[in-house]
């Protein structure tokens, strides 16, 4: 129902038709009943895809050939519950065909509209008119989205926190600062205000600022008030090919650092995104990095488990105002001061989030920070 409501107000939605996917999988030729010559004659993305009734499982080669072996064979994540490359190819082709279909339909409709003139000399004018028509329609539909009531998608719009206006969070501009990749702000140097820029690259060949290893950061001596270091914990897989562009990098601060600071937005973010402080109401969120399989290490400070803030464990300030408690909003924490969940902007129109971990050997990993 929520997806239908999205579509009704002009937000496109894309569903997986599971019965159709099942039919596709049923149509895949069975490799188990083929001779070796017959299997070798099959297209590479069909060969050893289905053995009997199983997808990417079974003999003679569906389980063995589930993952690519031509480069970097000792890959992580080669588990029974992760799909193999043939299944990914099937899903990618399915989505690509869908996008191709709607693109062709759009082009056919545009062709009909732009060629609807008896005067060839008027063609260019007609094309410009059609473009103007659809641009205006798109702008109107986009603006109308923000005039609609909030859709209760997964309970988000029904979240109730005293002093929090969910319309502001859902409908007004905000600023997000994330350590994770892939991220434009990471690759462009905006996040760390550096001239190191790049994009997807094999491990060890990145041109952008990759940050520092987490164990190294937790031994660093930092001057008081220094920006929170960007760090990574999951070691990069060394391979001459790009095997994993997404990493759960973080902003990291620990007991050894004293007070550290995360400023949002920084100078480059303000310039890149035409930051207007007048649109920001003062809601500040931090999103701690999740623990693998929900199992956190004992020194990993988890504020979402606290009833209020335990100063023996951690202290936070926003623009020098102490944070008194946090409200868990599905993994992100809405910070509260003495007067509720709104903080005054600083002289630069932004927010300095300061953190001091007081738990011996403790540390805090922040995946992202947001302001609205």
């Amino acid at each position: 129902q929520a997806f239908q409501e999205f579509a009704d107000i002009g937000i496109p939605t894309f569903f997986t038709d599971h019965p159709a996917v099942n039919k596709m999988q049923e149509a895949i030729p069975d490799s188990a009943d083929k001779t070796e010559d017959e299997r070798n004659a099959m297209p590479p993305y069909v060969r050893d895809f289905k053995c009997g009734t199983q997808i990417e499982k079974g003999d003679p080669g569906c389980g063995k050939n589930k993952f690519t072996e031509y480069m970097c064979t000792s890959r992580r994540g080669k588990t029974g519950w992760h799909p193999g490359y043939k299944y990914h190819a099937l899903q990618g082709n399915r989505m690509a065909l869908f996008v191709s279909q709607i693109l062709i339909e759009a082009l056919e409709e545009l062709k009909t509209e732009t060629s609807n003139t008896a005067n060839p000399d008027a063609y260019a004018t007609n094309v410009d008119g059609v473009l103007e028509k659809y641009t205006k329609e798109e702008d109107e539909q986009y603006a109308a989205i923000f005039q609609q009531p909030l859709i209760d998608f997964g309970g988000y719009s029904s979240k109730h926190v005293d002093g929090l206006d969910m319309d502001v969070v859902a409908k007004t501009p905000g600023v997000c600062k994330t350590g994770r990749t892939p991220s434009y702000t990471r690759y462009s140097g905006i996040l760390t205000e550096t001239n190191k820029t790049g994009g997807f690259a094999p491990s060890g060949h990145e041109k952008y600022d990759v940050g520092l290893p987490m164990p190294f950061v937790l031994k660093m001596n930092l001057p008081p008030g220094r920006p929170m270091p960007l760090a990574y914990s999951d070691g990069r897989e060394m391979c001459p090919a790009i095997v994993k562009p997404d990493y759960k990098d973080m902003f990291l601060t620990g007991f050894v650092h004293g007070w550290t600071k995360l400023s949002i937005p920084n100078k480059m973010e303000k310039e890149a995104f035409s930051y207007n402080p007048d649109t920001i109401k003062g809601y500040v969120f931090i999103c701690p990095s999740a623990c693998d399989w929900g199992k956190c290490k004992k020194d990993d400070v988890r504020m979402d488990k606290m009833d209020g803030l335990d100063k023996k464990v951690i202290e936070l300030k926003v623009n020098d105002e102490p944070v008194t408690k946090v409200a868990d909003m599905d993994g992100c924490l809405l910070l509260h001061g003495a007067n509720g969940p709104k903080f005054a902007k600083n002289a630069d129109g932004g927010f300095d989030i300061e953190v001091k971990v007081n738990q011996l050997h403790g540390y805090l990993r922040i995946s992202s920070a947001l302001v609205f």
Side-chain angles (χ1 to χ4, degrees), residues 56-344:
E56 299 183 324
K57 294 179 182 179
D59 295 325
C62 291
K64 178 183 177 182
N65 298 314
K66 177 179 179 180
F67 300 104
T68 54
E69 297 289 343
Y70 62 87
M71 186 182 290
C72 306
T73 56
S74 299
R75 289 290 316 283
R76 299 175 190 165
K78 295 167 72 170
T79 65
W81 58 86
H82 284 168
Y85 75 94
K86 299 183 186 76
Y87 187 83
H88 282 299
L90 173 66
Q91 301 305 319
N93 277 272
R94 181 174 62 84
M95 290 186 279
L97 288 170
F98 168 78
V99 173
S100 298
Q101 178 184 337
I102 60 175
L103 178 60
I104 290 169
E105 291 174 1
L107 290 172
E108 289 175 343
E109 185 172 337
L110 285 171
K111 180 181 178 181
T112 300
E113 287 207 41
T114 55
S115 61
N116 188 22
T117 174
N119 181 5
D121 294 334
Y123 176 75
T125 302
N126 196 29
V127 170
D128 290 341
V130 170
L131 177 61
E132 183 179 350
K133 167 190 169 184
Y134 282 117
T135 300
K136 182 173 182 291
E137 181 180 305
E138 181 181 44
D139 291 343
E140 289 174 348
Q141 289 180 349
Y142 183 76
I145 290 171
F146 299 96
Q147 305 304 316
Q148 306 296 324
L150 285 181
I151 295 172
D152 193 10
F153 181 61
Y156 284 97
S157 65
S158 61
K159 293 285 181 185
H160 179 73
V161 175
D162 287 341
L164 173 64
D165 184 348
M166 281 299 296
D167 268 41
V168 170
V169 175
K171 299 180 181 181
T172 63
V175 180
C176 175
K177 190 182 197 80
T178 183
R180 300 181 65 133
T181 62
S183 164
Y184 168 74
T185 56
R186 285 289 304 275
Y187 296 148
S188 63
I190 292 172
L191 182 77
T192 51
E193 297 186 283
T194 177
N195 58 3
K196 294 181 179 179
T197 60
F200 292 164
S203 296
H205 296 274
E206 299 93 344
K207 301 296 184 183
Y208 64 93
D209 186 356
V210 297
L212 298 167
M214 182 174 172
F216 178 82
V217 172
L218 291 178
K219 295 178 181 178
M220 290 174 63
N221 290 318
L222 300 176
R226 171 175 170 160
M228 207 174 291
L230 178 68
Y232 58 87
S233 60
D234 46 352
R236 270 52 173 166
E237 294 187 63
M238 302 310 294
C239 179
I242 299 172
V243 293
K244 184 183 177 183
D246 52 320
Y247 289 101
K248 302 173 185 177
D249 297 348
M250 72 204 85
F251 305 101
L252 179 64
T253 186
F255 173 77
V256 297
H257 299 142
W259 286 101
T260 56
K261 180 171 63 176
L262 194 61
S263 297
I264 180 169
N266 63 34
K267 291 181 180 178
M268 289 184 69
E269 287 167 339
K270 289 178 182 178
E271 182 177 345
F273 305 118
S274 302
Y275 178 70
N276 179 4
D278 294 338
T279 64
I280 303 298
K281 305 303 180 185
Y283 298 122
V284 180
F285 294 81
I286 62 171
C287 306
S289 299
C291 302
D292 291 338
W293 305 104
K295 297 179 180 178
C296 301
K297 296 180 180 179
K298 65 181 181 66
D299 294 326
D300 194 336
V301 174
R302 309 306 299 179
M303 289 187 294
D304 53 321
K305 305 299 182 184
M306 296 181 183
D307 182 15
L309 284 184
D310 185 350
K311 290 188 177 181
K312 294 179 181 178
V313 177
I314 193 168
E315 295 178 72
L316 288 90
K317 295 185 291 186
V318 176
N319 293 342
D320 291 325
E321 180 180 347
V323 173
T324 57
K325 70 173 185 176
V326 298
D328 187 5
M329 304 284 288
D330 294 284
C332 289
L333 307 176
L334 175 62
L335 307 184
H336 286 64
N339 299 313
K342 279 188 179 181
F343 291 88

